[in-house]
Amino acid sequence: MQEWTGFMAAMRTGGWIMYPLSVLGILALTIIIERAYVFARFARAPTRPFPRGASVDNESSQGFDGLAPHNAFRRMAAPWLAESGSPLWLREADAQAIASQIERDMGRGLWLLETIVTAAPLLGLLGTIVGMMKSFQLFGGNGLVDPGGVTGGVAQSLVATAIGLIVAVFALFAFNYFSRRLERLMDELELFANARLNELRLRHEARGER
């Protein structure tokens, strides 16, 4: 209870700049929770992601049981199903288009997280300037008019800077994590597609096809 009271007191001390900073903090937290759910649900690899000699005749033989319908690996497997009569070059083009769409879907909102990393410290700096201006205004021609007001202005500037940095650091770690997670997912999907392509090429060569 004391921690919450202290937090609310700090928010009041920070002045009006705390409202946009709070919005950025809530927005960053929302994006982080939503992206964590998306990666946990739709970026899971199949139980046998790159089996040698495994059948590509259907999804169940590739270990997709239990994965979400829009799972990234499930989507990437669609062009490589054996019942498709498309030539290999067309399957490769379809796989590239699907990979681009998956990257867009999984990376949605990360640009906003990156923007928060930059915007939060700048808002904190703006709060610092406003607080210091408030303090300097209390110096009159006859010297210091209101010592309590000066310390309040300094406190406002420090709180705004601290909150801005906290939001930025929080968003930065999350952005770097999800960016690295997306990069690793795209590498895994490329390996997955190459394994399916090589298997189909071997089958076609065995039958004398192209």
Side-chain angles (χ1 to χ4, degrees):
M1 187 64 181
Q2 292 181 349
E3 290 79 4
W4 175 253
T5 304
F7 174 76
M8 294 305 298
M11 293 289 289
R12 288 192 295 270
T13 303
W16 64 267
I17 202 68
M18 299 306 297
Y19 292 104
L21 281 175
S22 299
V23 171
L24 290 184
I26 293 172
L27 189 59
L29 183 61
T30 302
I31 295 172
I32 291 169
I33 294 174
E34 189 267 342
R35 285 296 95 186
Y37 170 79
V38 167
F39 275 96
R41 181 168 174 79
F42 301 111
R44 285 178 54 199
T47 55
R48 299 185 303 278
F50 318 115
R52 288 185 176 273
S55 173
V56 293
D57 294 337
N58 54 68
E59 291 188 352
S60 61
S61 67
Q62 301 179 51
F64 291 128
D65 296 333
L67 296 183
H70 295 289
N71 178 273
F73 290 90
R74 215 184 252 274
R75 292 167 64 181
M76 182 56 70
W80 311 110
L81 296 179
E83 58 263 22
S84 175
S86 303
L88 289 181
W89 64 267
L90 184 57
R91 296 191 188 199
E92 289 185 73
D94 290 342
Q96 291 176 356
I98 291 173
S100 298
Q101 184 62 50
I102 291 173
E103 187 172 14
R104 285 194 297 270
D105 292 343
M106 301 301 292
R108 188 172 297 153
L110 294 186
W111 68 270
L112 191 53
L113 206 58
E114 185 178 19
T115 302
I116 293 173
V117 172
T118 304
L122 293 178
L123 281 174
L125 179 60
L126 177 60
T128 300
I129 295 173
V130 171
M132 296 306 295
M133 290 174 61
K134 179 180 176 181
S135 297
F136 290 142
Q137 287 175 353
L138 297 177
F139 286 90
N142 297 324
L144 185 59
V145 177
D146 184 6
V150 173
T151 57
V154 173
Q156 176 181 343
S157 64
L158 294 178
V159 168
T161 303
I163 297 298
L165 290 176
I166 289 172
V167 172
V169 170
F170 184 64
L172 177 62
F173 277 109
F175 174 77
N176 287 339
Y177 169 77
F178 287 122
S179 297
R180 183 68 186 100
R181 183 71 181 85
L182 178 59
E183 182 181 345
R184 186 165 68 248
L185 173 64
M186 299 312 298
D187 290 340
E188 292 173 353
L189 288 174
E190 183 178 0
L191 291 174
F192 179 87
N194 287 336
R196 296 300 178 269
L197 176 60
N198 292 336
E199 185 172 347
L200 286 175
R201 280 175 173 167
L202 288 175
R203 288 190 175 193
H204 286 203
E205 289 178 4
R207 288 183 291 199
E209 300 175 1
R210 284 193 168 187

